[in-house]
Amino acid sequence: MTNSKYIKIAVASGKGGTGKTMLATNLAALISGSTKTLLVDLDVEEPNSSLFFGGNKSPAKTLFRPVPEWNREKCLLCDICSDACRFNALIRLGNEISIFDKLCHSCFACSELCPQQALPMKEHAIGELTHITDNNLTIVEGRLFTGEEQSVPLINQTKELSETDYGDYEVKIYDSPPGTSCPVIAAVKGCDLVLLVTEPTPFGLNDLRLAYATMKKMNLPVAVVINRHGIGNGEVDEYCRNESVEIIAKIPYDMEIARICSDGGLLLEEPGYVRPLLESLHKRLIEITNCL
């Protein structure tokens, strides 16, 4: 293991539908057979890792972020707040200050700069956190409330709680959102290794390029898992060779895998070749992270 108390592995992808959650859930299930493991679902707009497990589910805990609340009696309508806000989250309309909670990035600029302290911050509910305990595995799930537009604050809080409240877990796996935008940056930041899941198609290669460029910019170690191996072409293999990125596993294109996953099942028993493949992947992860 690394010098830290635990190893943090992010499972990410440049696009949706590559098999990211399939890998994260099955890898977590395998590792938890011998090691206390935490699986954190950070795809908060549509979390689904918990669908693959039983166990005891905790009551949901509501999470919040601060947004300003206008105090009409104190306000001088000086426009300092609206001039300071870079996100157009509040504007002056005549003798009113209108606040748009969903645009607010909770930077506190308006509240701190107001000379009359007319914009105190209040709590705004953004989502909820639950956890499921299944033997040696705990699944932590962040879920964004319907209508909320910013997932990053919930991702950050879910990660923070997973690190402070579950310090005795040796392995932490973060099932990240797809893509390369702000939610992914928040999900993978600070991880020891990022597993990029892709498929051997032109679309898969295009989005792998974007994802790898993002991780490289963040100075994060990367390994690639090719899912649905056997379709498409060899361009992903060639790209990884040229970039000196290790392809740590290749999961075959198999309708039986699709059937089991669509039924909410894990792949540790069937098809029979999957467990040895995941065991080999786990062994390689230990080797890589010991060198970090």
Side-chain angles (χ1 to χ4, degrees):
M1 294 293 177
T2 58
N3 292 328
S4 61
K5 292 188 296 184
Y6 48 80
I7 176 177
K8 296 182 289 185
I9 300 172
V11 182
S13 60
K15 62 183 288 292
T18 59
K20 172 178 55 63
T21 296
M22 177 198 73
L23 177 64
T25 53
N26 283 278
L27 186 60
L30 175 79
I31 296 175
S32 68
S34 59
T35 304
K36 199 169 184 181
T37 304
L38 185 71
L39 173 60
V40 187
D41 196 336
L42 296 176
D43 192 0
V44 298
E45 295 184 61
E46 45 183 341
N48 58 0
S49 294
S50 62
L51 298 177
F52 295 87
F53 301 95
N56 300 316
K57 188 171 186 178
S58 70
K61 175 182 179 181
T62 302
L63 298 181
F64 304 85
R65 66 180 176 87
V67 297
E69 183 176 37
W70 182 49
N71 187 319
R72 180 193 299 267
E73 295 179 356
K74 291 184 176 182
C75 183
L76 297 177
L77 298 174
C78 64
D79 292 331
I80 291 176
C81 58
S82 56
D83 290 342
C85 183
R86 295 178 176 272
F87 306 103
N88 299 314
L90 72 170
I91 59 172
R92 177 182 172 185
L93 297 173
N95 293 326
E96 301 280 331
I97 298 294
S98 293
I99 298 173
F100 306 99
D101 290 349
K102 291 182 173 59
L103 295 179
C104 176
H105 282 57
S106 305
C107 70
F108 281 77
C110 62
S111 182
E112 294 293 330
L113 292 174
C114 178
Q116 296 299 114
Q117 298 181 335
L119 289 164
M121 303 297 279
K122 65 175 183 178
E123 288 190 331
H124 173 74
I126 56 174
E128 60 185 23
L129 186 76
T130 57
H131 73 262
I132 298 172
T133 303
D134 189 4
N135 296 320
N136 215 26
L137 174 66
T138 295
I139 301 98
V140 174
E141 177 184 276
R143 183 178 295 271
L144 196 68
F145 284 150
T146 301
E148 288 299 312
E149 299 177 7
Q150 295 184 46
S151 61
V152 170
L154 183 58
I155 291 172
N156 286 336
Q157 290 187 54
T158 302
K159 278 187 72 176
E160 181 179 347
L161 288 170
S162 73
E163 295 183 11
T164 58
D165 295 1
Y166 300 92
D168 58 337
Y169 284 71
E170 298 177 56
V171 176
K172 298 185 179 184
I173 298 175
Y174 297 98
D175 186 3
S176 307
T180 56
S181 59
C182 295
V184 179
I185 303 300
V188 304
K189 185 178 180 180
C191 287
D192 299 304
L193 179 68
V194 180
L195 291 179
L196 291 178
V197 185
T198 188
E199 56 189 19
T201 64
F203 284 120
L205 175 59
N206 178 73
D207 294 312
L208 175 62
R209 290 179 187 272
L210 297 174
Y212 176 63
T214 302
M215 303 307 148
K216 190 175 181 180
K217 191 74 173 178
M218 297 177 69
N219 295 316
L220 290 173
V222 170
V224 168
V225 174
I226 299 179
N227 189 28
R228 304 188 187 96
H229 179 64
I231 64 172
N233 53 44
E235 291 183 352
V236 169
D237 295 74
E238 181 181 357
Y239 172 75
C240 291
R241 282 194 302 270
N242 292 338
E243 295 292 335
S244 299
V245 178
E246 179 179 356
I247 299 175
I248 199 170
K250 295 180 179 180
I251 303 172
Y253 176 65
D254 188 340
M255 288 300 294
E256 183 67 6
I257 290 178
R259 181 192 65 78
I260 294 171
C261 290
S262 65
D263 288 339
L266 296 171
L267 304 170
L268 300 185
E269 303 304 327
E270 56 173 331
Y273 61 83
V274 175
R275 178 183 280 273
L277 188 153
L278 290 174
E279 289 173 344
S280 177
L281 170 57
H282 181 207
K283 181 180 178 181
R284 183 61 185 138
L285 286 177
I286 293 174
E287 294 171 350
I288 293 173
T289 52
N290 273 333
C291 296
L292 296 178

